[in-house]
Amino acid sequence: DAGKQAAAADRLGFKVTWEGSGAVVRGPDAYDYELRSQSGMRKEPFEEIVLTAANPKALSDWYVDMLHMTLISSSDEGMTVGFRSLTDQQAVHFLIKKADQNPVKVTQWEGRNAIALPEAQVRALNKRILKESPQLILHEMRELEEKLGTLVILILRDPGGFELCVVSSETFDPSVAAATNYEGPDWTQREAFLSAMSDSTKAEL
């Protein structure tokens, strides 16, 4: 229930803004989360990731062409692309909206979205990016030996400036499934970790 979630966030001291019939919560890292009521048997807590672009159509076309996503919908709100249908209970989509400013200022604060693809597709993507737009590659493709196999990983930017971590699903998916318990993070431990990192940085300075 989005209303109850918003009330709980407000009690915890997070900023809650009501927009129309929904609520947006400014989280502990100053990221905005739009609250929506879950339906059906959905366990995945996130429904879509919102990107802003000067040209939403051009950016959505890139995801469709390069990563073989599907254009799910197009409206005044923006372009929705993804790998699954909107009715899929575990699907997470990209909603690409028109930016308020041009050019769009994208910093590392925006984070990095992880996308799992079959290993053959990751290698094919790397080969194509190297040939057509090598400037989008942040870190060259690597192969990491993990407990469940070899993880192929490619770090790049999309044409809008947002960072992507493209990984091989054969190893990434079972690794994530093994670590997922759908429980919230230990915020006390997290704050202690960040505080220790901050103290260490100050000591070095």
Side-chain angles (χ1 to χ4, degrees):
D1 183 294
K4 291 181 179 179
Q5 293 172 346
D10 184 63
R11 287 196 300 272
L12 290 171
F14 296 113
K15 180 181 178 181
V16 179
T17 304
W18 289 93
E19 298 182 359
S21 59
V24 176
V25 175
R26 180 64 56 86
D29 290 315
Y31 289 112
D32 289 335
Y33 297 88
E34 181 181 343
L35 302 183
R36 297 179 180 179
S37 296
Q38 287 188 337
S39 59
M41 302 298 292
R42 187 177 183 88
K43 287 186 176 180
E44 169 58 51
F46 297 100
E47 186 173 331
E48 65 186 14
I49 298 168
V50 179
L51 307 178
T52 59
N55 188 336
K57 183 180 185 306
L59 188 55
S60 66
D61 286 347
W62 184 87
Y63 277 99
V64 170
D65 180 38
M66 282 289 186
L67 275 69
H68 306 294
M69 287 187 178
T70 298
L71 176 60
I72 297 171
S73 67
S74 175
S75 66
D76 292 339
E77 184 179 16
M79 318 287 287
T80 300
V81 295
F83 294 107
R84 303 180 182 181
S85 70
L86 288 175
T87 58
D88 190 302
Q89 290 294 326
Q90 305 309 322
V92 180
H93 308 96
F94 281 172
L95 171 60
I96 306 175
K97 292 183 174 183
K98 178 72 174 178
D100 295 330
Q101 58 180 350
N102 189 12
V104 180
K105 184 179 181 181
V106 179
T107 69
Q108 288 186 330
W109 187 249
E110 267 68 39
R112 181 179 290 166
N113 293 308
I115 297 178
L117 298 174
E119 180 180 333
Q121 289 188 30
V122 178
R123 294 185 184 278
L125 173 64
N126 179 63
K127 184 177 180 180
R128 184 177 175 188
I129 292 285
L130 282 172
K131 180 180 179 180
E132 298 180 10
S133 46
Q135 73 279 4
L136 296 180
I137 294 181
L138 295 177
H139 301 290
E140 63 182 19
M141 190 179 74
R142 294 177 292 167
E143 298 182 25
L144 306 177
E145 294 302 323
E146 303 288 342
K147 290 182 179 180
L148 298 180
T150 301
L151 180 70
V152 179
I153 179 170
L154 174 65
I155 309 297
L156 66 153
R157 285 193 185 95
D158 66 23
F162 296 100
E163 295 188 10
L164 298 172
C165 175
V166 185
V167 295
S168 53
S169 57
E170 292 90 341
T171 300
F172 184 79
D173 287 359
S175 298
V176 171
T180 300
N181 56 15
Y182 293 104
E183 294 180 0
D186 185 332
W187 293 111
T188 301
Q189 181 185 30
R190 183 178 182 281
E191 289 299 326
F193 174 74
L194 292 176
S195 178
M197 287 183 61
S198 176
D199 291 343
S200 175
T201 301
K202 291 177 180 178
E204 291 178 1
L205 294 176

